[in-house]
Amino acid sequence: MSVLDLARADIRALAPYSSARMEARGGSVALNANESPWPPPGDAGATLHRYPDPQPAALVQRLAQIYGVRAERVLVGRGSDEAIDLLVRAFCRAGVDAVAISPPTFGMYAVCAKVQGAAVLEIPLRADFTLDADALLARLTPAVKIVFVCSPNNPTGALVPLATIERLAEALRGRALLIVDEAYIEFADAPSAATLLDRYEHLGVLRTLSKAWALAGARIGSLLAAPEVIALLRRIMPPYPLPTPCVDAALTVLQDGGAALVRERIATVRGERTRLAAALPSLPGVRAVLPSQANFLAVRFTDAAAVYADLLRAGIVVRDIRRYPGLADALRISIGTPEQNDALLAALAARREAA
């Protein structure tokens, strides 16, 4: 059985849009894309009047090198959100198929499914917010075409062990795609699920440059998957997903010097995460700090609403995650610079004095 047998038949048969940039390359006079023949004012590189490559070769090759996969396994798009949407549209028929998620988790899995008209099967995390693989596999139905696993999980921060991911991959062979979202994996002390790609053609891994690589504004994410899956998604992907300035910014950051700086910053984030996790429990109103392998901490408070408001008055914005199941008393706090983290701790300590 091919992994494409899980995809929608109409998508497999779809003739993709063929853009001018895909149809012809080379030549010194480009008159095939209805572009302006003149660059805009201020365009020093004289490239912005031309459509960008749909999958820029230099960026794809560099990401493949960083992620340890072959280039044909890489699809780049506008953040990993775009890959989530493409996967659901390609593999889930409206009103027929479903995705499986383990809440509390990243909300875009369910949003993309609902926009597509696919059902959402929820298999909650355990009480300690670890993935319950037994419950997940026991509750899966034939309608489920994609299982999303977020590791480290957002918003709780727990890592899913690679052995658990491999167990799921074995069990889902021929049944459903397993998509592991590793938006925060750089902050974890663990190998990527991409190390399993050669053994499981129905496995996909989501990566992003928005977090550790500090390129949230450039909106560049990747799906690492079987070449057949990458080719299928390109059929339904918009023809020019990545703006040229975003690609240029990514290539600059992804150079060896930029990569070395990113490693230093990741080490700082890990150290600050440890420091905050140790300091927060002694502060007023803090009930618990959830273990995290990401660049944030989910923190339980006796009065999360009051803490949120007090921090906001102090000029500090954190994430209110009380709407998530099991987290009605929690806020998510991103790890900032040491100075920003000092300001957070000081603001929380000041609540004791105010009381």
Side-chain angles (χ1 to χ4, degrees):
M1 178 180 180
S2 166
V3 64
L4 295 187
D5 291 334
L6 297 170
R8 290 168 48 188
D10 52 339
I11 297 298
R12 296 199 305 268
L14 178 69
Y17 173 76
S18 182
S19 69
R21 191 66 69 242
M22 294 168 63
E23 288 179 354
R25 297 179 182 273
S28 58
V29 180
L31 301 176
N32 67 329
N34 299 336
E35 304 155 322
S36 170
W38 304 282
D43 181 12
T47 58
L48 295 182
H49 61 307
R50 301 299 183 188
Y51 287 111
D53 284 340
Q55 292 290 293
L59 179 59
V60 169
Q61 290 286 350
R62 182 58 176 145
L63 290 172
Q65 180 183 19
I66 289 172
Y67 297 146
V69 299
R70 301 190 304 276
E72 60 266 29
R73 287 190 177 277
V74 179
L75 181 77
V76 291
R78 291 164 291 193
S80 52
D81 295 350
E82 182 169 31
I84 294 168
D85 182 58
L86 292 172
L87 284 162
V88 173
R89 286 194 283 142
F91 285 84
C92 293
R93 295 165 294 172
V96 177
D97 296 322
V99 306
I101 63 174
S102 293
T105 194
F106 185 44
M108 284 304 295
Y109 313 138
V111 168
C112 290
K114 291 174 182 178
V115 169
Q116 173 61 15
V120 179
L121 177 62
E122 297 186 355
I123 303 95
L125 299 175
R126 297 188 183 98
D128 63 356
F129 299 109
T130 57
L131 184 71
D132 191 338
D134 290 331
L136 192 157
L137 292 174
R139 290 191 53 193
L140 285 186
T141 68
V144 172
K145 291 298 184 292
I146 306 175
V147 176
F148 286 104
V149 172
C150 192
S151 178
N153 187 49
N154 177 18
T156 57
L159 184 79
V160 180
L162 192 62
T164 300
I165 292 172
E166 185 163 13
R167 179 190 170 197
L168 292 174
E170 286 283 357
L172 295 174
R173 195 191 300 270
R175 298 172 58 188
L177 292 182
L178 174 61
I179 303 300
V180 182
D181 188 345
E182 293 186 337
Y184 301 94
I185 194 67
E186 289 92 345
F187 303 104
D189 185 19
S192 168
T195 57
L196 303 175
L197 286 173
D198 286 338
R199 295 160 58 187
Y200 302 101
E201 67 170 1
H202 59 297
L203 174 66
V205 178
L206 297 170
R207 299 294 295 264
T208 182
L209 299 182
S210 294
K211 310 300 181 182
W213 292 90
L215 284 172
R219 305 305 302 129
I220 295 179
S222 302
L223 171 68
L224 315 178
E228 297 86 350
V229 173
I230 300 300
L232 180 71
L233 297 189
R234 288 197 62 181
R235 294 188 181 202
I236 60 174
M237 193 175 202
Y240 304 111
L242 295 179
T244 298
C246 296
V247 174
D248 292 343
L251 288 172
T252 298
V253 171
L254 293 170
Q255 293 175 355
D256 290 340
L261 179 59
V262 166
R263 286 193 293 271
E264 292 178 12
R265 289 176 172 175
I266 290 172
T268 298
V269 168
R270 288 177 174 177
E272 287 295 294
R273 182 180 67 198
T274 299
R275 179 169 78 97
L276 287 182
L280 284 167
S282 65
L283 295 176
V286 176
R287 293 183 54 221
V289 179
L290 300 187
S292 174
Q293 287 286 310
N295 68 336
F296 58 82
L297 293 169
V299 184
R300 294 188 182 279
F301 294 92
T302 54
D303 190 344
V307 172
Y308 184 89
D310 288 345
L311 289 176
L312 194 57
R313 279 189 288 270
I316 299 172
V317 183
V318 296
R319 182 77 166 193
D320 187 345
I321 56 174
R322 291 176 295 158
R323 66 187 181 278
Y324 287 90
L327 295 171
D329 59 352
L331 303 175
R332 192 190 69 191
I333 301 173
S334 300
I335 308 299
T337 65
E339 295 76 18
Q340 291 170 337
N341 298 331
D342 287 342
L344 169 78
L345 293 174
L348 290 173
R351 301 184 72 246
R352 176 187 290 130
E353 298 173 5

